[in-house]
PDB file of all heavy atoms in Angstrom:
ATOM      1  N   VAL T 300     -37.186  20.029  41.472  1.00 92.00           N
ATOM      2  CA  VAL T 300     -38.331  20.720  42.003  1.00 92.00           C
ATOM      3  C   VAL T 300     -38.051  22.266  41.833  1.00 92.00           C
ATOM      4  O   VAL T 300     -38.961  22.953  41.599  1.00 92.00           O
ATOM      5  CB  VAL T 300     -38.589  20.327  43.416  1.00 92.00           C
ATOM      6  CG1 VAL T 300     -39.690  21.232  44.057  1.00 92.00           C
ATOM      7  CG2 VAL T 300     -39.010  18.906  43.563  1.00 92.00           C
ATOM      8  N   PHE T 301     -36.759  22.653  42.044  1.00 91.00           N
ATOM      9  CA  PHE T 301     -36.378  24.080  41.951  1.00 91.00           C
ATOM     10  C   PHE T 301     -35.483  24.275  40.766  1.00 91.00           C
ATOM     11  O   PHE T 301     -34.709  23.384  40.471  1.00 91.00           O
ATOM     12  CB  PHE T 301     -35.775  24.571  43.169  1.00 91.00           C
ATOM     13  CG  PHE T 301     -36.687  24.450  44.410  1.00 91.00           C
ATOM     14  CD1 PHE T 301     -36.579  23.425  45.276  1.00 91.00           C
ATOM     15  CD2 PHE T 301     -37.643  25.453  44.608  1.00 91.00           C
ATOM     16  CE1 PHE T 301     -37.467  23.381  46.390  1.00 91.00           C
ATOM     17  CE2 PHE T 301     -38.531  25.376  45.696  1.00 91.00           C
ATOM     18  CZ  PHE T 301     -38.429  24.345  46.586  1.00 91.00           C
ATOM     19  N   LYS T 302     -35.510  25.441  40.141  1.00 87.00           N
ATOM     20  CA  LYS T 302     -34.675  25.722  38.986  1.00 87.00           C
ATOM     21  C   LYS T 302     -33.213  26.003  39.400  1.00 87.00           C
ATOM     22  O   LYS T 302     -32.304  25.831  38.666  1.00 87.00           O
ATOM     23  CB  LYS T 302     -35.215  26.953  38.256  1.00 87.00           C
ATOM     24  CG  LYS T 302     -36.474  26.666  37.469  1.00 87.00           C
ATOM     25  CD  LYS T 302     -36.988  27.794  36.725  1.00 87.00           C
ATOM     26  CE  LYS T 302     -38.234  27.379  36.006  1.00 87.00           C
ATOM     27  NZ  LYS T 302     -38.851  28.548  35.297  1.00 87.00           N
ATOM     28  N   ASN T 303     -33.028  26.441  40.673  1.00 78.00           N
ATOM     29  CA  ASN T 303     -31.641  26.601  41.200  1.00 78.00           C
ATOM     30  C   ASN T 303     -31.586  26.315  42.667  1.00 78.00           C
ATOM     31  O   ASN T 303     -32.660  26.358  43.358  1.00 78.00           O
ATOM     32  CB  ASN T 303     -31.111  28.019  40.885  1.00 78.00           C
ATOM     33  CG  ASN T 303     -31.887  29.123  41.501  1.00 78.00           C
ATOM     34  OD1 ASN T 303     -32.141  29.114  42.701  1.00 78.00           O
ATOM     35  ND2 ASN T 303     -32.373  30.103  40.696  1.00 78.00           N
ATOM     36  N   VAL T 304     -30.442  26.077  43.222  1.00 61.00           N
ATOM     37  CA  VAL T 304     -30.288  25.702  44.595  1.00 61.00           C
ATOM     38  C   VAL T 304     -30.753  26.830  45.558  1.00 61.00           C
ATOM     39  O   VAL T 304     -31.328  26.547  46.605  1.00 61.00           O
ATOM     40  CB  VAL T 304     -28.843  25.300  44.891  1.00 61.00           C
ATOM     41  CG1 VAL T 304     -28.622  24.978  46.380  1.00 61.00           C
ATOM     42  CG2 VAL T 304     -28.430  24.104  44.057  1.00 61.00           C
ATOM     43  N   ALA T 305     -30.528  28.034  45.207  1.00 59.00           N
ATOM     44  CA  ALA T 305     -30.812  29.149  46.035  1.00 59.00           C
ATOM     45  C   ALA T 305     -32.299  29.262  46.313  1.00 59.00           C
ATOM     46  O   ALA T 305     -32.770  29.673  47.428  1.00 59.00           O
ATOM     47  CB  ALA T 305     -30.346  30.497  45.398  1.00 59.00           C
ATOM     48  N   ALA T 306     -33.132  28.760  45.405  1.00 53.00           N
ATOM     49  CA  ALA T 306     -34.596  28.751  45.577  1.00 53.00           C
ATOM     50  C   ALA T 306     -35.030  27.821  46.665  1.00 53.00           C
ATOM     51  O   ALA T 306     -36.177  27.940  47.192  1.00 53.00           O
ATOM     52  CB  ALA T 306     -35.262  28.435  44.304  1.00 53.00           C
ATOM     53  N   SER T 307     -34.224  26.838  47.023  1.00 48.00           N
ATOM     54  CA  SER T 307     -34.560  25.886  47.982  1.00 48.00           C
ATOM     55  C   SER T 307     -33.898  26.029  49.409  1.00 48.00           C
ATOM     56  O   SER T 307     -34.012  25.178  50.225  1.00 48.00           O
ATOM     57  CB  SER T 307     -34.238  24.445  47.513  1.00 48.00           C
ATOM     58  OG  SER T 307     -32.869  24.283  47.347  1.00 48.00           O
ATOM     59  N   GLU T 308     -33.302  27.195  49.541  1.00 51.00           N
ATOM     60  CA  GLU T 308     -32.585  27.431  50.844  1.00 51.00           C
ATOM     61  C   GLU T 308     -33.455  27.591  52.011  1.00 51.00           C
ATOM     62  O   GLU T 308     -34.593  28.091  51.812  1.00 51.00           O
ATOM     63  CB  GLU T 308     -31.606  28.623  50.695  1.00 51.00           C
ATOM     64  CG  GLU T 308     -30.454  28.337  49.749  1.00 51.00           C
ATOM     65  CD  GLU T 308     -29.540  29.605  49.588  1.00 51.00           C
ATOM     66  OE1 GLU T 308     -29.892  30.659  50.038  1.00 51.00           O
ATOM     67  OE2 GLU T 308     -28.453  29.327  49.030  1.00 51.00           O
ATOM     68  N   ALA T 309     -32.986  27.223  53.171  1.00 46.00           N
ATOM     69  CA  ALA T 309     -33.800  27.299  54.402  1.00 46.00           C
ATOM     70  C   ALA T 309     -34.072  28.755  54.837  1.00 46.00           C
ATOM     71  O   ALA T 309     -33.300  29.680  54.520  1.00 46.00           O
ATOM     72  CB  ALA T 309     -32.973  26.579  55.507  1.00 46.00           C
ATOM     73  N   ASP T 310     -35.233  28.917  55.536  1.00 52.00           N
ATOM     74  CA  ASP T 310     -35.522  30.184  56.096  1.00 52.00           C
ATOM     75  C   ASP T 310     -36.177  29.935  57.490  1.00 52.00           C
ATOM     76  O   ASP T 310     -36.749  28.921  57.682  1.00 52.00           O
ATOM     77  CB  ASP T 310     -36.414  30.990  55.189  1.00 52.00           C
ATOM     78  CG  ASP T 310     -37.703  30.332  54.924  1.00 52.00           C
ATOM     79  OD1 ASP T 310     -37.813  29.076  54.956  1.00 52.00           O
ATOM     80  OD2 ASP T 310     -38.673  31.012  54.574  1.00 52.00           O
ATOM     81  N   GLY T 311     -36.043  30.881  58.383  1.00 51.00           N
ATOM     82  CA  GLY T 311     -36.707  30.808  59.703  1.00 51.00           C
ATOM     83  C   GLY T 311     -35.952  29.976  60.744  1.00 51.00           C
ATOM     84  O   GLY T 311     -36.432  29.861  61.847  1.00 51.00           O
ATOM     85  N   HIS T 312     -34.849  29.371  60.373  1.00 51.00           N
ATOM     86  CA  HIS T 312     -34.065  28.640  61.378  1.00 51.00           C
ATOM     87  C   HIS T 312     -33.108  29.483  62.121  1.00 51.00           C
ATOM     88  O   HIS T 312     -32.819  30.591  61.791  1.00 51.00           O
ATOM     89  CB  HIS T 312     -33.311  27.460  60.603  1.00 51.00           C
ATOM     90  CG  HIS T 312     -34.246  26.523  59.883  1.00 51.00           C
ATOM     91  ND1 HIS T 312     -35.052  25.649  60.476  1.00 51.00           N
ATOM     92  CD2 HIS T 312     -34.510  26.438  58.501  1.00 51.00           C
ATOM     93  CE1 HIS T 312     -35.738  24.972  59.558  1.00 51.00           C
ATOM     94  NE2 HIS T 312     -35.412  25.388  58.442  1.00 51.00           N
ATOM     95  N   ALA T 313     -32.610  28.910  63.225  1.00 47.00           N
ATOM     96  CA  ALA T 313     -31.707  29.633  64.114  1.00 47.00           C
ATOM     97  C   ALA T 313     -30.514  30.133  63.316  1.00 47.00           C
ATOM     98  O   ALA T 313     -29.982  29.489  62.461  1.00 47.00           O
ATOM     99  CB  ALA T 313     -31.248  28.769  65.248  1.00 47.00           C
ATOM    100  N   ASP T 314     -30.042  31.303  63.603  1.00 55.00           N
ATOM    101  CA  ASP T 314     -28.986  32.065  62.976  1.00 55.00           C
ATOM    102  C   ASP T 314     -27.934  32.400  64.066  1.00 55.00           C
ATOM    103  O   ASP T 314     -28.299  32.669  65.202  1.00 55.00           O
ATOM    104  CB  ASP T 314     -29.563  33.301  62.338  1.00 55.00           C
ATOM    105  CG  ASP T 314     -28.527  34.015  61.462  1.00 55.00           C
ATOM    106  OD1 ASP T 314     -27.347  33.762  61.622  1.00 55.00           O
ATOM    107  OD2 ASP T 314     -29.002  34.820  60.591  1.00 55.00           O
ATOM    108  N   VAL T 315     -26.698  32.422  63.649  1.00 54.00           N
ATOM    109  CA  VAL T 315     -25.665  32.715  64.673  1.00 54.00           C
ATOM    110  C   VAL T 315     -25.777  34.143  65.248  1.00 54.00           C
ATOM    111  O   VAL T 315     -25.265  34.390  66.340  1.00 54.00           O
ATOM    112  CB  VAL T 315     -24.207  32.579  64.082  1.00 54.00           C
ATOM    113  CG1 VAL T 315     -23.915  31.100  63.723  1.00 54.00           C
ATOM    114  CG2 VAL T 315     -24.024  33.419  62.817  1.00 54.00           C
ATOM    115  N   GLU T 316     -26.505  35.008  64.547  1.00 67.00           N
ATOM    116  CA  GLU T 316     -26.678  36.399  65.016  1.00 67.00           C
ATOM    117  C   GLU T 316     -27.901  36.525  65.962  1.00 67.00           C
ATOM    118  O   GLU T 316     -28.171  37.551  66.554  1.00 67.00           O
ATOM    119  CB  GLU T 316     -26.873  37.341  63.873  1.00 67.00           C
ATOM    120  CG  GLU T 316     -25.574  37.426  63.024  1.00 67.00           C
ATOM    121  CD  GLU T 316     -25.687  38.427  61.897  1.00 67.00           C
ATOM    122  OE1 GLU T 316     -26.654  39.242  61.915  1.00 67.00           O
ATOM    123  OE2 GLU T 316     -24.892  38.358  61.025  1.00 67.00           O
ATOM    124  N   ASP T 317     -28.703  35.432  66.131  1.00 72.00           N
ATOM    125  CA  ASP T 317     -29.880  35.531  67.076  1.00 72.00           C
ATOM    126  C   ASP T 317     -29.401  35.569  68.526  1.00 72.00           C
ATOM    127  O   ASP T 317     -28.443  34.911  68.865  1.00 72.00           O
ATOM    128  CB  ASP T 317     -30.705  34.178  66.921  1.00 72.00           C
ATOM    129  CG  ASP T 317     -31.434  34.203  65.619  1.00 72.00           C
ATOM    130  OD1 ASP T 317     -31.626  35.227  64.946  1.00 72.00           O
ATOM    131  OD2 ASP T 317     -31.871  33.078  65.110  1.00 72.00           O
ATOM    132  N   ASP T 318     -30.155  36.329  69.333  1.00 84.00           N
ATOM    133  CA  ASP T 318     -29.810  36.301  70.730  1.00 84.00           C
ATOM    134  C   ASP T 318     -30.350  34.991  71.342  1.00 84.00           C
ATOM    135  O   ASP T 318     -30.986  34.178  70.633  1.00 84.00           O
ATOM    136  CB  ASP T 318     -30.361  37.526  71.466  1.00 84.00           C
ATOM    137  CG  ASP T 318     -31.920  37.549  71.458  1.00 84.00           C
ATOM    138  OD1 ASP T 318     -32.581  36.541  71.677  1.00 84.00           O
ATOM    139  OD2 ASP T 318     -32.419  38.723  71.241  1.00 84.00           O
ATOM    140  N   GLU T 319     -30.118  34.764  72.606  1.00 89.00           N
ATOM    141  CA  GLU T 319     -30.432  33.441  73.241  1.00 89.00           C
ATOM    142  C   GLU T 319     -31.948  33.161  73.225  1.00 89.00           C
ATOM    143  O   GLU T 319     -32.350  32.030  72.887  1.00 89.00           O
ATOM    144  CB  GLU T 319     -29.923  33.498  74.668  1.00 89.00           C
ATOM    145  CG  GLU T 319     -30.139  32.174  75.377  1.00 89.00           C
ATOM    146  CD  GLU T 319     -29.521  32.179  76.764  1.00 89.00           C
ATOM    147  OE1 GLU T 319     -28.609  32.980  77.080  1.00 89.00           O
ATOM    148  OE2 GLU T 319     -30.047  31.404  77.612  1.00 89.00           O
ATOM    149  N   ILE T 320     -32.809  34.173  73.503  1.00 89.00           N
ATOM    150  CA  ILE T 320     -34.234  33.963  73.538  1.00 89.00           C
ATOM    151  C   ILE T 320     -34.714  33.590  72.099  1.00 89.00           C
ATOM    152  O   ILE T 320     -35.493  32.648  71.966  1.00 89.00           O
ATOM    153  CB  ILE T 320     -34.959  35.100  74.118  1.00 89.00           C
ATOM    154  CG1 ILE T 320     -34.562  35.301  75.599  1.00 89.00           C
ATOM    155  CG2 ILE T 320     -36.508  34.936  74.006  1.00 89.00           C
ATOM    156  CD1 ILE T 320     -35.037  36.610  76.196  1.00 89.00           C
ATOM    157  N   VAL T 321     -34.301  34.349  71.136  1.00 89.00           N
ATOM    158  CA  VAL T 321     -34.765  34.113  69.772  1.00 89.00           C
ATOM    159  C   VAL T 321     -34.291  32.715  69.255  1.00 89.00           C
ATOM    160  O   VAL T 321     -35.031  32.007  68.643  1.00 89.00           O
ATOM    161  CB  VAL T 321     -34.310  35.247  68.804  1.00 89.00           C
ATOM    162  CG1 VAL T 321     -34.573  34.833  67.382  1.00 89.00           C
ATOM    163  CG2 VAL T 321     -35.017  36.511  69.162  1.00 89.00           C
ATOM    164  N   ALA T 322     -33.049  32.334  69.596  1.00 89.00           N
ATOM    165  CA  ALA T 322     -32.551  31.029  69.252  1.00 89.00           C
ATOM    166  C   ALA T 322     -33.393  29.945  69.928  1.00 89.00           C
ATOM    167  O   ALA T 322     -33.702  28.934  69.280  1.00 89.00           O
ATOM    168  CB  ALA T 322     -31.079  30.903  69.653  1.00 89.00           C
ATOM    169  N   GLU T 323     -33.808  30.129  71.227  1.00 91.00           N
ATOM    170  CA  GLU T 323     -34.664  29.151  71.862  1.00 91.00           C
ATOM    171  C   GLU T 323     -36.009  29.081  71.190  1.00 91.00           C
ATOM    172  O   GLU T 323     -36.511  27.968  70.981  1.00 91.00           O
ATOM    173  CB  GLU T 323     -34.887  29.544  73.378  1.00 91.00           C
ATOM    174  CG  GLU T 323     -33.660  29.253  74.221  1.00 91.00           C
ATOM    175  CD  GLU T 323     -33.942  29.740  75.662  1.00 91.00           C
ATOM    176  OE1 GLU T 323     -35.067  29.353  76.127  1.00 91.00           O
ATOM    177  OE2 GLU T 323     -33.073  30.321  76.285  1.00 91.00           O
ATOM    178  N   ILE T 324     -36.564  30.192  70.837  1.00 90.00           N
ATOM    179  CA  ILE T 324     -37.913  30.243  70.187  1.00 90.00           C
ATOM    180  C   ILE T 324     -37.780  29.443  68.801  1.00 90.00           C
ATOM    181  O   ILE T 324     -38.626  28.577  68.563  1.00 90.00           O
ATOM    182  CB  ILE T 324     -38.372  31.696  69.867  1.00 90.00           C
ATOM    183  CG1 ILE T 324     -38.721  32.365  71.180  1.00 90.00           C
ATOM    184  CG2 ILE T 324     -39.504  31.680  68.874  1.00 90.00           C
ATOM    185  CD1 ILE T 324     -38.897  33.921  71.083  1.00 90.00           C
ATOM    186  N   LYS T 325     -36.784  29.783  68.079  1.00 88.00           N
ATOM    187  CA  LYS T 325     -36.672  29.087  66.725  1.00 88.00           C
ATOM    188  C   LYS T 325     -36.371  27.613  66.961  1.00 88.00           C
ATOM    189  O   LYS T 325     -36.931  26.757  66.154  1.00 88.00           O
ATOM    190  CB  LYS T 325     -35.503  29.684  65.929  1.00 88.00           C
ATOM    191  CG  LYS T 325     -35.864  31.069  65.370  1.00 88.00           C
ATOM    192  CD  LYS T 325     -34.741  31.684  64.572  1.00 88.00           C
ATOM    193  CE  LYS T 325     -35.087  33.015  63.969  1.00 88.00           C
ATOM    194  NZ  LYS T 325     -34.027  33.550  63.145  1.00 88.00           N
ATOM    195  N   GLY T 326     -35.591  27.219  67.962  1.00 87.00           N
ATOM    196  CA  GLY T 326     -35.334  25.837  68.250  1.00 87.00           C
ATOM    197  C   GLY T 326     -36.630  25.083  68.583  1.00 87.00           C
ATOM    198  O   GLY T 326     -36.905  23.935  68.121  1.00 87.00           O
ATOM    199  N   LEU T 327     -37.530  25.718  69.472  1.00 88.00           N
ATOM    200  CA  LEU T 327     -38.784  25.084  69.804  1.00 88.00           C
ATOM    201  C   LEU T 327     -39.677  24.990  68.575  1.00 88.00           C
ATOM    202  O   LEU T 327     -40.366  23.967  68.372  1.00 88.00           O
ATOM    203  CB  LEU T 327     -39.449  25.882  70.878  1.00 88.00           C
ATOM    204  CG  LEU T 327     -40.641  25.310  71.612  1.00 88.00           C
ATOM    205  CD1 LEU T 327     -40.360  23.909  72.193  1.00 88.00           C
ATOM    206  CD2 LEU T 327     -41.151  26.221  72.687  1.00 88.00           C
ATOM    207  N   LEU T 328     -39.732  26.009  67.755  1.00 87.00           N
ATOM    208  CA  LEU T 328     -40.480  25.931  66.516  1.00 87.00           C
ATOM    209  C   LEU T 328     -40.069  24.776  65.690  1.00 87.00           C
ATOM    210  O   LEU T 328     -40.899  23.965  65.202  1.00 87.00           O
ATOM    211  CB  LEU T 328     -40.364  27.232  65.736  1.00 87.00           C
ATOM    212  CG  LEU T 328     -41.182  28.438  66.180  1.00 87.00           C
ATOM    213  CD1 LEU T 328     -40.700  29.752  65.499  1.00 87.00           C
ATOM    214  CD2 LEU T 328     -42.649  28.156  65.978  1.00 87.00           C
ATOM    215  N   ASP T 329     -38.701  24.648  65.423  1.00 83.00           N
ATOM    216  CA  ASP T 329     -38.176  23.601  64.651  1.00 83.00           C
ATOM    217  C   ASP T 329     -38.381  22.190  65.143  1.00 83.00           C
ATOM    218  O   ASP T 329     -38.701  21.254  64.400  1.00 83.00           O
ATOM    219  CB  ASP T 329     -36.710  23.800  64.303  1.00 83.00           C
ATOM    220  CG  ASP T 329     -36.435  24.924  63.374  1.00 83.00           C
ATOM    221  OD1 ASP T 329     -37.365  25.421  62.676  1.00 83.00           O
ATOM    222  OD2 ASP T 329     -35.254  25.375  63.325  1.00 83.00           O
ATOM    223  N   SER T 330     -38.255  22.011  66.473  1.00 83.00           N
ATOM    224  CA  SER T 330     -38.322  20.679  67.020  1.00 83.00           C
ATOM    225  C   SER T 330     -39.660  20.149  67.336  1.00 83.00           C
ATOM    226  O   SER T 330     -39.894  18.985  67.223  1.00 83.00           O
ATOM    227  CB  SER T 330     -37.405  20.609  68.304  1.00 83.00           C
ATOM    228  OG  SER T 330     -37.999  21.487  69.308  1.00 83.00           O
ATOM    229  N   ARG T 331     -40.615  21.067  67.806  1.00 83.00           N
ATOM    230  CA  ARG T 331     -41.877  20.553  68.269  1.00 83.00           C
ATOM    231  C   ARG T 331     -43.026  21.039  67.506  1.00 83.00           C
ATOM    232  O   ARG T 331     -44.097  20.411  67.339  1.00 83.00           O
ATOM    233  CB  ARG T 331     -42.025  20.952  69.748  1.00 83.00           C
ATOM    234  CG  ARG T 331     -41.039  20.247  70.599  1.00 83.00           C
ATOM    235  CD  ARG T 331     -41.497  20.315  72.048  1.00 83.00           C
ATOM    236  NE  ARG T 331     -40.615  19.639  72.838  1.00 83.00           N
ATOM    237  CZ  ARG T 331     -40.911  18.958  73.920  1.00 83.00           C
ATOM    238  NH1 ARG T 331     -42.192  18.964  74.284  1.00 83.00           N
ATOM    239  NH2 ARG T 331     -40.037  18.313  74.613  1.00 83.00           N
ATOM    240  N   ILE T 332     -43.024  22.367  67.078  1.00 85.00           N
ATOM    241  CA  ILE T 332     -44.217  22.917  66.520  1.00 85.00           C
ATOM    242  C   ILE T 332     -44.413  22.766  64.995  1.00 85.00           C
ATOM    243  O   ILE T 332     -45.354  22.288  64.432  1.00 85.00           O
ATOM    244  CB  ILE T 332     -44.273  24.446  66.859  1.00 85.00           C
ATOM    245  CG1 ILE T 332     -44.392  24.567  68.374  1.00 85.00           C
ATOM    246  CG2 ILE T 332     -45.428  25.147  66.172  1.00 85.00           C
ATOM    247  CD1 ILE T 332     -44.137  25.917  68.953  1.00 85.00           C
ATOM    248  N   ARG T 333     -43.242  23.010  64.257  1.00 82.00           N
ATOM    249  CA  ARG T 333     -43.317  22.909  62.807  1.00 82.00           C
ATOM    250  C   ARG T 333     -43.643  21.471  62.351  1.00 82.00           C
ATOM    251  O   ARG T 333     -44.411  21.310  61.365  1.00 82.00           O
ATOM    252  CB  ARG T 333     -42.030  23.382  62.176  1.00 82.00           C
ATOM    253  CG  ARG T 333     -41.854  24.888  62.346  1.00 82.00           C
ATOM    254  CD  ARG T 333     -40.622  25.424  61.762  1.00 82.00           C
ATOM    255  NE  ARG T 333     -40.762  25.506  60.367  1.00 82.00           N
ATOM    256  CZ  ARG T 333     -39.753  25.703  59.558  1.00 82.00           C
ATOM    257  NH1 ARG T 333     -38.483  25.753  59.958  1.00 82.00           N
ATOM    258  NH2 ARG T 333     -39.903  25.799  58.251  1.00 82.00           N
TER     259      ARG T 333
END
Side-chain angles (χ1 to χ4, degrees):
V300 174
F301 297 100
K302 290 182 180 174
N303 61 52
V304 176
S307 64
E308 290 178 349
D310 58 337
H312 299 287
D314 188 339
V315 291
E316 295 180 17
D317 289 339
D318 65 41
E319 186 177 333
I320 295 170
V321 170
E323 285 181 44
I324 290 168
K325 288 181 178 181
L327 188 57
L328 281 169
D329 286 346
S330 65
R331 296 196 177 213
I332 297 168
R333 292 178 79 196

